[in-house]
Amino acid sequence: MNTTVEFIKSKLNNFVPEIAIVLGSGLGELADEYCDLAIPYSEIPNFIKSTVKGHKGRLVFAKINGKNVVMMQGRNHFYEGHTMQEITYPIKVLHALGVKTLILTNAAGAVNESYKPSDLMIITDHINNMGANPLIGPNDESLGERFPDMSEVYNKELVKLAEECAKKLEIDVQKGVYWANSGPNYETPSEIKMIRQLGGDAVGMSTVPEAIVANYCKMNILGISCISNAASSDNGEKLSHEEVIDTTNKAKIKFKSLVLQIVADL
Ligand code: HPA
């Protein structure tokens, strides 16, 4: 951990990031537009490279609307074969760099029948169905407790702030529960029905491991899902990664302006 943190700090000229944004599939553009310094993951000691199309794989530092921000342009996923500990290592690094507020973003499939592709959903809670947990293993007491409380992972004040920002910008947002599966396959129609019955509003393959670790480190967390597709249904329509990226591209103007407003108002 020290090697990683010291390496990053050596590039930063005393810039201390207060807000971190993890940019999900198709949502990385913000880090192209606001970039004072970029460090590819491949150059950072102990970081793993991103292997998914549409994910770039670098840490981007920038002053945005007066705030010191670090963005993860691309993330690693459990379905790539990495361990839960490996994919959440960057969150612990962000915490060590001084980040207090973490904005987690992702592309997700709609489960709630009132959601449409390209809607944005503020995450109010999550359900971990990944079958694994990043906190398994010896506990580092300097980071957090052995049995962390999970009663408010997604900070209620930040949910309120995000809603107010959306209202200011006249963007309609949904609020709901993010259900995480390991992937990499999308869901069957029966699985979607089950997720709906069990309280999920959107489904994806990321975010939850990061939220578990960030909550454990006592960071303030906001989650935003970009609804990239109607979830798998019986109507014969097939779902592809290209469709997910395409729809996310359509939503990203809304997404970017919402995130920028949130950073300004934080
Ligand atoms: N299911 C799971 N993960 C996803 C989906 C989906 O429908 N869309 C984008 N990520």
Side-chain angles (χ1 to χ4, degrees):
M1 174 69 70
N2 273 347
T3 323
T4 312
V5 174
E6 289 315 313
F7 172 84
I8 297 170
K9 277 190 177 166
S10 75
K11 311 261 178 200
L12 289 186
N13 270 326
N14 297 321
F15 176 98
V16 179
E18 47 184 319
I19 302 168
I21 311 173
V22 179
L23 296 165
S25 295
L27 302 171
E29 218 172 77
L30 203 64
D32 292 325
E33 291 169 18
Y34 293 84
C35 176
D36 298 336
L37 170 76
I39 315 176
Y41 297 156
S42 56
E43 289 178 13
I44 304 177
N46 306 319
F47 260 52
I48 30 183
K49 289 179 212 159
S50 174
T51 66
V52 189
K53 272 194 287 179
H55 286 254
K56 239 180 194 163
R58 50 187 205 156
L59 271 191
V60 172
F61 296 83
K63 192 108 188 162
I64 304 182
N65 292 337
K67 307 284 165 52
N68 286 0
V69 178
V70 54
M71 287 168 276
M72 285 187 66
Q73 193 174 27
R75 59 151 64 87
N76 291 295
H77 300 82
F78 190 46
Y79 61 71
E80 291 171 85
H82 311 299
T83 65
M84 280 277 166
Q85 286 75 12
E86 284 166 342
I87 62 173
T88 52
Y89 179 71
I91 301 299
K92 293 181 186 167
V93 171
L94 296 175
H95 174 255
L97 289 172
V99 169
K100 302 278 183 279
T101 302
L102 177 66
I103 305 178
L104 296 169
T105 74
N106 58 57
V111 173
N112 187 312
E113 284 164 314
S114 71
Y115 291 5
K116 300 175 303 302
S118 96
D119 275 355
L120 299 179
M121 181 188 91
I122 312 296
I123 302 176
T124 54
D125 202 0
H126 75 225
I127 296 174
N128 179 13
N129 189 53
M130 296 179 101
N133 191 301
L135 301 180
I136 288 176
N139 187 48
D140 180 349
E141 292 288 330
S142 70
L143 277 181
E145 297 165 53
R146 171 76 293 186
F147 303 108
D149 175 74
M150 292 281 283
S151 58
E152 191 184 330
V153 177
Y154 302 89
N155 187 282
K156 288 202 171 85
E157 290 296 314
L158 291 180
V159 169
K160 205 163 106 200
L161 175 78
E163 282 187 286
E164 284 162 6
C165 288
K167 202 161 171 197
K168 225 186 257 184
L169 298 167
E170 297 180 357
I171 296 172
D172 285 328
V173 285
Q174 311 283 3
K175 274 199 302 186
V177 174
Y178 178 88
W179 175 292
N181 282 338
S182 70
N185 57 275
Y186 295 117
E187 295 69 31
T188 65
S190 303
E191 285 166 343
I192 292 300
K193 214 181 282 173
M194 176 194 78
I195 295 170
R196 193 176 293 130
Q197 282 173 359
L198 294 180
D201 294 296
V203 56
M205 308 173 194
S206 68
T207 302
V208 162
E210 295 146 348
I212 290 173
V213 168
N215 172 71
Y216 161 79
C217 297
K218 305 228 164 14
M219 292 160 103
N220 295 317
I221 306 169
L222 173 70
I224 306 173
S225 291
C226 177
I227 302 299
S228 54
N229 52 280
S232 150
S233 60
D234 286 327
N235 64 8
E237 282 178 25
K238 302 264 190 265
L239 177 58
S240 68
H241 184 56
E242 284 65 36
E243 178 188 339
V244 167
I245 298 287
D246 259 13
T247 316
T248 315
N249 275 336
K250 287 183 196 131
K252 73 186 174 195
I253 304 197
K254 263 193 316 191
F255 169 82
K256 277 192 295 189
S257 45
L258 179 60
V259 171
L260 289 173
Q261 189 68 51
I262 291 167
V263 169
D265 291 358
L266 261 169

